[in-house]
Amino acid sequence: TELESLDYIRQSLYDFNLIRLNFKLRADGTIYLGPDEKKGDIWRGGFGEAFKKIACADRWGSADCKKCGDAGQCFFNEYFVIDKPHPYVIRHELDSKRIYRNGDSIGIEFILIGEAAQYYKRFVKIFEELGVIGIGKNRGRFVIENVAVETPEILAYFNALPPVSREVILELLTPVKLKETDKGLYYGEIPFEVFFRLLLKRFINLNNLYCNGMNYDKE
């Protein structure tokens, strides 16, 4: 029944946990990031570059993870290269600003899921490195002014959700890619069944991979 399904989902999330790192950055020069819909790709690309530079076990060599003998013990390989859901999310401010001038403030929310949370100081170091090498067009630099750490209670949010008895509209403010097959499926309008099913699969996969989940049947 619907109530049994809801209870099943709730049980599967008991071990799901995360922390939020709220970065307050300050532009050290001019940073060109472009429109809001492009910023996510720019931040993720810059993050990956800084991650590789600071954490890759073979950063002075070819850096080919498939050929590296240390890949099994490499933090960069485990948390960035391996083809599985990554235990972090980068959320940038939707402030409509394309250019940040020297001294401007930039907000970034970085979410770490499950076991990845214990390494939050390493991830702060990665953002420090990104500030040094620069981001966006012309490699604009920044410094970290403050990092606030929050530990929200996921089930508290889940249990507080009101019953839905009417139409719900989901507004996608940034580009979304949903992969349902090896080649991927593309939609002009996303069917709710597809969106919600993939959302639940992602939750449960993250729970199983990083939060000591109980391998609940995601089907």
Side-chain angles (χ1 to χ4, degrees):
T1 67
E2 182 178 338
L3 288 178
E4 288 174 338
S5 297
L6 192 62
D7 187 58
Y8 187 78
I9 295 170
R10 185 182 286 108
Q11 289 179 36
S12 73
L13 295 177
Y14 276 138
D15 290 325
F16 195 88
N17 61 91
L18 57 83
I19 65 169
R20 278 199 298 255
L21 305 180
N22 294 307
F23 285 86
K24 182 181 179 182
L25 312 177
R26 176 172 50 81
D28 187 17
T30 303
I31 300 176
Y32 299 88
L33 289 181
D36 283 345
E37 59 267 24
K38 299 291 186 181
K39 290 176 182 176
D41 286 338
I42 293 173
W43 279 107
R44 282 188 293 272
F47 172 80
E49 183 180 359
F51 198 164
K52 186 174 184 177
K53 184 174 181 181
I54 202 172
C56 174
D58 190 32
R59 57 186 174 274
W60 304 117
S62 62
D64 185 340
C65 295
K66 294 181 180 179
K67 299 178 180 179
C68 179
D70 296 322
Q73 295 80 39
C74 178
F75 187 68
F76 171 68
N77 181 66
E78 177 67 19
Y79 283 99
F80 192 83
V81 178
I82 290 181
D83 186 19
K84 64 181 182 181
H86 294 151
Y88 47 77
V89 179
I90 302 174
R91 297 178 63 185
H92 59 86
E93 272 186 318
L94 300 176
D95 56 9
S96 301
K97 292 182 66 172
R98 293 170 176 258
I99 301 174
Y100 297 84
R101 308 292 181 183
N102 186 41
D104 283 353
S105 179
I106 306 172
I108 294 291
E109 183 182 70
F110 190 70
I111 299 169
L112 284 167
I113 298 166
E115 66 178 37
Q118 65 184 305
Y119 302 116
Y120 78 92
K121 291 183 179 179
R122 295 187 184 185
F123 287 102
V124 172
K125 290 289 186 183
I126 293 171
F127 275 91
E128 288 179 351
E129 180 65 22
L130 179 55
V132 172
I133 64 179
I135 189 169
K137 183 181 178 182
N138 297 333
R139 298 283 185 174
R141 296 186 175 188
F142 63 82
V143 295
I144 298 175
E145 288 195 326
N146 185 56
V147 184
V149 182
E150 298 179 358
T151 55
E153 294 185 20
I154 302 303
L155 283 179
Y157 287 109
F158 187 84
N159 292 329
L161 290 174
V164 177
S165 58
R166 55 189 176 85
E167 184 181 66
V168 174
I169 298 176
L170 301 178
E171 184 179 5
L172 305 179
L173 300 178
T174 57
V176 174
K177 180 181 180 181
L178 301 178
K179 186 175 182 181
E180 194 171 21
T181 66
D182 289 340
K183 294 183 179 179
L185 295 177
Y186 296 89
Y187 298 97
E189 296 182 2
I190 305 172
F192 176 79
E193 186 272 338
V194 171
F195 178 84
F196 198 68
R197 174 162 44 82
L198 294 179
L199 179 65
L200 288 179
K201 283 187 176 182
R202 175 53 61 95
F203 263 122
I204 295 173
N205 280 337
L206 289 170
N207 192 28
N208 291 342
L209 287 168
Y210 304 108
C211 303
N212 296 319
M214 299 175 67
N215 294 320
Y216 281 78
D217 180 4
K218 60 179 176 287
E219 297 300 330

